Amino acid sequence: MVNTYYTAKIIFDLLWRDEIYWCTADVGWITGHSYIVYAPLVNGVTSVIMEGVPVYPHPGIWWEYVEKYKVNVFYTAPTAIRMLMRYGDSIPAAV
């Protein structure tokens, strides 16, 4: 718990309680429950939680969530970014 607290605060820059933080990992993985549940709770930060595939119901859903919930700290995996890159710049640019 101490490491999760510290890395979220220092690496993810969760220094302010008005942050809206979103980790897109699967909740069942160690990164998921550590950085979706524990890290924001122990740092007192609001967290967006979304379960599902990054491209369902459409490839721009993540960007809609970022805009809708005013996410200002976004943590995701390089694998997810590579998967989304096949859709080009049009999706994030449209939001």
Side-chain angles (χ1 to χ4, degrees):
M1 186 62 73
V2 172
N3 188 56
T4 304
Y5 165 82
Y6 183 75
T7 55
K9 184 169 270 322
I10 302 304
I11 304 301
F12 301 143
D13 201 27
L14 297 183
L15 302 174
W16 314 107
R17 295 200 181 263
D18 60 343
E19 301 287 6
I20 307 295
Y21 165 78
W22 184 19
C23 171
T24 65
D26 186 300
V27 179
W29 289 78
I30 186 71
T31 299
H33 59 264
S34 296
Y35 292 104
I36 292 173
V37 180
Y38 309 138
L41 284 174
V42 297
N43 280 288
V45 173
T46 301
S47 178
V48 173
I49 299 174
M50 176 241 177
E51 181 66 29
V53 190
V55 293
Y56 181 82
H58 59 83
I61 192 66
W62 278 10
W63 312 124
E64 287 182 12
Y65 286 146
V66 166
E67 183 178 42
K68 179 178 182 178
Y69 298 111
K70 300 181 181 7
V71 173
N72 56 5
V73 179
F74 181 76
Y75 171 43
T76 194
T79 305
I81 295 196
R82 283 191 298 272
M83 184 207 48
L84 292 169
M85 285 173 64
R86 79 175 88 165
Y87 297 101
D89 294 337
S90 61
I91 292 176
V95 177

